[in-house]
Amino acid sequence: NGFGQSKITLKAKRAEMTTVLQNIEKQTQYRFLYNSQLQELRLRKVNIDVNQASLKDVLSIMFFRTNLQYQVMGNNLIVIKEMGDVRPPDVIVKGKVLGEGALPLSGASVQVKGTTLGTTTDGNGNFSLSVPNNNVTLIVSSVGYAEQEVALGGKNEVTVTLVSSTKEMDQVVVIGYGTAQKRDLTGSIVKVGGEEVADKPNVNPIASLQGKVAGLSVTPSAGIGKAPDIRIRGTNSIGDEAVRPVYIVDGILNDNIDFINPNDIESMEILKDPSSLAIFGVRGAAGAIAITTKKAKAGQVIVNLNSSIGVKRLVDKIDVLTNGEDFKMLYQEENNNIGVTTPGFDFTNWTSNTDWIKAVTQNGVFNNNNLSINASNEKNRFYMGLGYINEEGIVIHEKLKKYLINLSNEYKLTKDIKIGFTFNTAYTQAPNDGTNTLENARRIAPNVSAGTTPYTMNLYGTEQVYNLYSALPSIQNTLQNPLVTRENTWDKFIGREQRFVGSIYGEVNFLKDFNFRMALYGDQSYLESRTYNPLYGAYDPDAGAGFLVNRYTSVSQSEQRWTKYQSDFLLNYKKRLGDHNLQATAGWTTYSRAYRSTSGRVEQKDGQPAIPDDKRFWYLNNKFTDIANATGNSAQTEANTLSFLLRGIYNFANKYYLNATFRRDGSSLIYNPDQRWQNFWAVGAGWEISKEGFMQDISVINYLKLKGSIGVLGSQNTYGVSYPYFPTFSSGNTAVFGSSVYPAYVNDYEPDPNLRWETVHGREIGLEFGLLNNRVTGEINYYNKLTKDMLSFLQNGPSRTLGNFGSISNQGIELSLNYNGTLSKDLTYTVSGNLTSFKNKVKKFGTFLPAGESTPNQTQVGYPIGYFYGYIVDGLYQSYADKIGSPIVVGYEYGPGDLKYRDINGDGYINTDDRTIIGNPTPDFIYGMSLSVKYKALDFGVDLQGSYGGEVYRVWGSSELPYSRYNYPSFKLDRWHGEGTSNWVPRLGDKFAINRLPSTFGIEDGSYLRIRNIQIGYNIPTNVLTKARIKSFRVFANVQNLKTFKRNSGYAPEFGGSPTSFGVDWGNGPIPVIYTGGININF
Amino acid sequence: CKKFLDKKPLEATLDDIKQGGLEGLVFGLYGGLRNPDVGGAAWGHIPWLAIHSFRDDDYIKGSSESDGADWAVIYDQFQYSKDHWSTNTYYERKYVMVNLANTVLYTADSLKLDDPASRVNIAEARFVRALTYFDLVRTYGEVRKVTVPIRNADQVNRMPKSTVQDIYTLIDEDLTYAEQHLPINWNSATGTSLYPGRLTMGAAKSLHAKTLLYRQRWGDALTLLEQVITSGQYSLESNYSRVFQTAGENGPESIFEIQAYKGDGGRPDFYGFFATAQGVRGSDASGWNMGWGWNTPTVNLVNAYEANDPRLKRTILFSGQSDDPQYGGYGRTLPAYPAVLPRPYWNKKVYADPAEQARTNDPNGNGAYNQRIIRYADVLLMAAEAANEADNGPRAETLLEMIRARAREGQAGVLPKVVFVNKAQMRTAIKHERRIELAGEGERFFDLVRWGDAVSVLGAAGYQNRNRYMPLPQQIIDQSQGALLQNPEYP
């Protein structure tokens, strides 16, 4: 591409061939590779006089009547060879070049260091090159891979495995409705190779990117199979949907990627800046993640088997009492403190020492198996991937199964026309959610036994012995033994999701420079769930008897269906006119989505027989209950978007770059025709300084590009409302008079008739560089995003209006650095790191979201979103004298042992005016570091990842509002219980509400450093394998989350949530360590 | 292209539904009073119980000691909070009701509706607005006077508060209109009510009289109350227990009660939390998990009854004893205190009928319970009080005797007739009778405050004069950015 378009003007008489070639190199982006020993090249002089001629023409003039021929490589290399090389070579070196996944790499260039000798690999990755002797060093390179030097050391045969390039400017990246060379772009796009996620024990591939990409924050979600919380460059809105990036999987826009097998991913691109995102219009504001799935590589048949198995273990358990005597002591002390005069609870029948967290957790198995088949010839490219993932959670009985298929085929009808399809399907068996089990376990007194007691009961019509788990003591009567619920209900749930995502497309090249592409995409997802609520009992040690906990059986059944359709019609134009290079795209695209659900429930009534505990009857019409008494419901929504887009990517002499994008979106969600259409745009510019003459002498700098962009992006956030212009209404106001019902409805909110999409006005300026022979590469960017017209509900007493009411600014710096080092010919290493800083501020907000009774997140103008608001604790009142000598607390009963808040305004009273900012859940910066070392066939990698400067608010043990007596965190053993016994942990007593106010007592340092991944791999040497017809065989082992160095007392230091309430530790969210081992074989 | 983008919801919007015009909106007010998600949290939920009942000397927070221990500090011990779910919710939901009522009035006004039926609807809305402001003014004192529908936040954010006098002026105007336009009853030609529980002229006059008592306007109050008495629409139930039972809902003694309803098997379900919040708090194991157990009577109340007053056993359930079928029970025995139940006494006025629980499939509560807001006994006692204060002792004596006669259930020597001696003696007798007759119905605290007795009766629990009003919720103060001033007694 592009070859033949470079226009060359030359005038030379009897010039040496090599001089002419050098001259051409100066005028174009091409470099020539040749053996300087070539007789013709050395001796022949040429006469040439061309004006605006194509390179092809120039070369044919030069090589006319010579035995020279040339071959154009993908990376702007032109290799010149002799046609029938008559001169015997000095030494012939044969070799093979392998790329990603140890697959043969075709089209890689091989060059002898210090010479212009070189060649390229064939379709099977093989090459053969004559060299002066076999002690030379070869330089092997290919698009998208790091250049590698290989010293022959006397050998005549070598195998070279290339690793993906860290020289990012040479990558081809997905840019939304097309691809481009990263060099040509003015924005910030980070490409991550599929191998980064393939071997990692995460069902959701994005989870594997934590700490890997500057600007990308990944917060894991509790529970298995759930997508992590993703933010690109900070929190730009208060709406859940508005902060989630858009995913583009092989062209189709989506809001999740649950159907993708991590092993089928070829690459992922993270698009961050306005210039890259404007093409997504109303979907672009929160950033984009483009995923390309694997397609067949040219000219080969490869079968790949990848399998790994491992185990998950709970680490960093939160510390609560596990000793019954301790609980008894604290319980009694609390009673004394709050003045309970009645006799305390009798613990005679409650004598266990149960570690409740241990009782509800397990070591989970992670197993991942994949098989892929790659088959292609000149006309047809076929890929099939099959996957099976089996993941167990760390909560007992948590189990997820997922089956995945990925199919694609592309067929070349003629030289200019190709058609193809992609198809992905995923079948998921979801677990019965165990999140609450873990949260409840923390609250149960250790005195309660986790064991069972046999007891005869008549549940389903016959007497039978049941092993009953213990009920809870009456002092915990608002809680439920998590084992009672979990053990009796975990297998009474069926959740199956079947998803099909596919596309068909056709592409035609015409009029030399034009290309038209049409693609139709569909995404269908079906979710079926059925829940059976069985009869079950518990054993009450005080009564010495079992009793029925759940008295009636019931069945719930629901079916949900999501449908998404997209169509793209794109015209591309690519032209090179002298130094002017232009790539333009114009087109239109439509997007439709629909959701349908039906659900119902039948219940056993008093006096009717129970629905038996048999899967046969887990349906609404099971004939055990009267279908006439079933409750039923449905929900359904539809929305369409129609868009026009226009993009130009231009550069002058590969030195000055200009990108411009425009998109116009019409959305059915905006019903008002005057507001319906909204325009989005971006302009970016770049300057490759290293191409300038004055930089040529600075040999340290190989690559330097200054870039910047500005634009307006949209956010199709509806704040959870399906039709923003048409409020739903509730019938809760229905009146009854006697037994007559008179429906009365009110709108759930007032819509603003001028409602429009919120926009993000983004700016970026950055520098990309490559130093020291491109051993050091990196990028530094400053981003600044201002969200305007933020959509939100104004909740103010009685009124609730949905409108454009706010503005939020986000800014920060992103830095990424890479270093490729070589210690010896066998030992190479790469060190890389990245860092992103955040500064968030709410600029305008029609209302404010106040801190709650137990959570301090507050969103208010002038402060970071969701910051922590509360009192500053200066210690505890040690005595009544201390209390009397201190400012007066208004509105609370307090005394010695209670938290002493600071009188911030110095007015002698502690009241609500003394609250202040006590923390910010948004960190100052997050960072990641990686080291990978390669020694011969052995490779080793460590990834670190961390966060600095954010706070966490611990609700448990501080602000949690107990409805009965909960188990105590272990740190309560250090509570105040008399003058001088503590100056931090207040006295026990639910009654002393003063100690539950959001304050610095609950604030903990959220900074942490995690050993995210350690991976070791070994490629079994090829010569061993060849006999077994195996192309490559790799074994590897991986440890994820080996250790988190954190300073807070929760399971983990990261807590997601909503954009306005996050960083809050409710005593959940463990991040298990996962040990896996696996193999990867290519046949 | 236009067709592709014109998408309306695949379900009805209010535009698609003919709600019955103004009347449909008015029905929404009745639903709003009940629905815990609309206004009901301020009418029958725990915040209501805390503000109307925990604060008196006869009822406490209840439940187990540790459950909601902070509520005990705030309401039993008068350490009022500026930021607690109870006060935040109570205040906010009151204004939700104000807004719903204002929406009705605005609609009527903008459509210039002035036919008789519309005037009835306007009267209903004005009653609800007055009822709401009456609770706001007696709970918080000075509050915002909002009389138009709120369409955006700035409208209300910048609004300062009004004086107590101004709020009462609005209440007077609203109730005067309601008295003039509400029907005397909703009976059909055959004499059965078409809308049991719907607002009447009697309800408006009774409420208005109550607000006048709070301002010591005895004569005005007495006039209205005598009109209610002579209207012939109301009479005392012969059995005190029946007033509070399912069978007695919308009975002859009912003047206004918030309607809740559950069909057979629990559907349809238009529930309230008034009874469920107060049901006996046992466990599933004991079979007495009948509610959340808030608002329990104290020994102080038990001791306040005159000897053999049958109302004691009709008002209070005793742990460890029979529910006493002779006194409105159903023949079950409560588990013992403190071994199983966390309190010795429970509110029997909300005690669930097992048959009703079974019918409505509501084993752990009594969501179909109608919360009684004004009943005829209250009217008679208010009239007695007003007559006595207006120097008509004999009339007071007669009215008081009507209450005592019903209460003594024909037993000689029980609850002897109180003969008028002097104003002070009669006043003491009426205060006592109100306390006993209306126990647990949310009147006592406000009565103590208006009588000037609160400091002497509640002082030991921590009550000070400033506690007659609660501080405004801090969130509302913060949102106003200086426009709304906190009650200065709560710095």
Side-chain angles (χ1 to χ4, degrees), chain A residues 594-753:
Chain A
Y595 169 72
R596 306 256 186 282
S597 81
T598 50
S599 61
R601 180 183 150 93
V602 285
E603 196 178 63
Q604 171 198 356
K605 293 283 181 310
D606 229 5
Q608 290 178 355
I611 306 164
D613 185 2
D614 185 336
K615 275 189 190 183
R616 272 176 62 210
F617 307 124
W618 297 3
Y619 296 94
L620 289 182
N621 199 357
N622 54 35
K623 296 290 199 301
F624 279 93
T625 59
D626 187 358
I627 193 76
N629 288 329
T631 51
N633 206 350
S634 79
Q636 55 282 323
T637 60
E638 284 176 357
N640 290 340
T641 314
L642 175 62
S643 317
F644 299 94
L645 50 94
L646 209 55
R647 174 174 57 205
I649 297 174
Y650 168 83
N651 76 65
F652 180 78
N654 289 97
K655 216 190 269 181
Y656 309 105
Y657 300 86
L658 194 65
N659 293 179
T661 313
F662 172 79
R663 172 154 165 161
R664 181 167 168 82
D665 277 312
S667 168
S668 70
L669 294 169
I670 301 283
Y671 198 77
N672 181 349
D674 297 334
Q675 303 288 339
R676 177 171 286 167
W677 290 91
Q678 224 164 310
N679 297 335
F680 306 95
W681 58 269
V683 177
W687 175 28
E688 201 170 322
I689 306 169
S690 48
K691 283 264 173 75
E692 295 290 349
F694 60 82
M695 290 292 292
Q696 300 312 315
D697 298 333
I698 310 173
S699 61
V700 176
I701 299 174
N702 312 93
Y703 176 71
L704 187 65
K705 181 169 155 190
L706 178 68
K707 62 180 186 180
S709 70
I710 182 166
V712 176
L713 317 168
S715 173
Q716 197 171 350
N717 164 37
T718 57
Y719 222 85
V721 160
S722 303
Y723 295 88
Y725 272 74
F726 297 96
T728 49
F729 58 84
S730 66
S731 59
N733 285 14
T734 289
V736 286
F737 297 113
S739 54
S740 310
V741 174
Y742 297 89
Y745 308 108
V746 277
N747 275 337
D748 290 336
Y749 60 90
E750 294 292 331
D752 176 347

Side-chain angles (χ1 to χ4, degrees), chain A residues 164-437:
Chain A
S164 288
S165 176
T166 42
K167 274 164 74 181
E168 292 167 357
M169 56 273 193
D170 293 334
Q171 293 170 341
V172 172
V173 292
V174 173
I175 53 172
Y177 308 97
T179 58
Q181 277 242 334
K182 202 185 168 198
R183 188 184 286 269
D184 292 337
L185 299 174
T186 59
S188 285
I189 298 178
V190 179
K191 179 169 183 159
V192 180
E195 69 282 354
E196 288 280 1
V197 301
D199 295 344
K200 305 293 188 298
N202 299 308
V203 176
N204 190 308
I206 305 295
S208 306
L209 298 188
Q210 193 180 27
K212 284 283 186 190
V213 177
L216 180 74
S217 318
V218 178
T219 308
S221 300
I224 57 171
K226 291 188 184 155
D229 223 9
I230 309 285
R231 302 258 200 289
I232 293 176
R233 290 184 171 175
T235 305
N236 57 285
S237 181
I238 63 166
D240 283 343
E241 300 164 50
V243 296
R244 289 192 197 127
V246 60
Y247 295 95
I248 303 100
V249 181
D250 293 330
I252 182 170
L253 273 64
N254 233 317
D255 47 13
N256 70 70
I257 49 163
D258 296 342
F259 59 98
I260 296 293
N261 182 348
N263 272 277
D264 283 335
I265 292 178
E266 175 74 32
S267 70
M268 296 200 257
E269 271 93 353
I270 291 88
L271 289 75
K272 304 187 287 191
D273 74 302
S275 152
S276 320
L277 292 168
I279 197 74
F280 303 112
V282 79
R283 303 281 294 269
I289 297 177
I291 289 165
T292 309
T293 61
K294 283 181 181 159
K295 307 286 180 314
K297 309 249 161 41
Q300 32 180 289
V301 176
I302 296 167
V303 178
N304 174 274
L305 179 70
N306 189 337
S307 178
S308 66
I309 186 156
V311 66
K312 278 181 173 184
R313 207 160 59 79
L314 174 63
V315 288
D316 295 330
K317 241 167 51 173
I318 61 174
D319 203 0
V320 292
L321 295 187
T322 54
N323 180 315
E325 287 304 313
D326 285 344
F327 181 84
K328 257 166 86 172
M329 176 184 74
L330 295 186
Y331 168 79
Q332 247 332 315
E333 185 179 317
E334 178 161 0
N335 272 3
N336 298 341
N337 285 354
I338 66 177
V340 173
T341 46
T342 51
F345 182 74
D346 180 359
F347 284 94
T348 312
N349 298 317
W350 309 89
T351 53
S352 297
N353 293 301
T354 306
D355 180 341
W356 271 99
I357 292 170
K358 198 175 161 195
V360 302
T361 51
Q362 65 179 4
N363 285 340
V365 170
F366 182 92
N367 178 220
N368 183 355
N369 305 290
N370 298 281
L371 178 72
S372 70
I373 298 165
N374 244 304
S376 81
N377 57 32
E378 252 170 53
K379 288 224 152 199
N380 198 49
R381 293 178 167 207
F382 172 78
Y383 179 89
M384 178 170 77
L386 305 172
Y388 166 66
I389 301 172
N390 178 3
E391 182 181 22
E392 286 178 357
I394 51 171
V395 173
I396 48 171
H397 305 308
E398 257 187 341
K399 198 170 196 167
L400 175 93
K401 278 185 184 171
K402 207 164 186 172
Y403 303 82
L404 300 134
I405 299 174
N406 176 21
L407 281 176
S408 69
N409 198 51
E410 187 173 282
Y411 188 78
K412 256 190 186 160
L413 284 177
T414 71
K415 194 163 72 65
D416 290 317
I417 300 175
K418 63 182 178 187
I419 53 168
F421 73 86
T422 65
F423 177 75
N424 282 282
T425 181
Y427 174 73
T428 311
Q429 275 179 300
N432 196 344
D433 191 28
T435 316
N436 291 333
T437 305

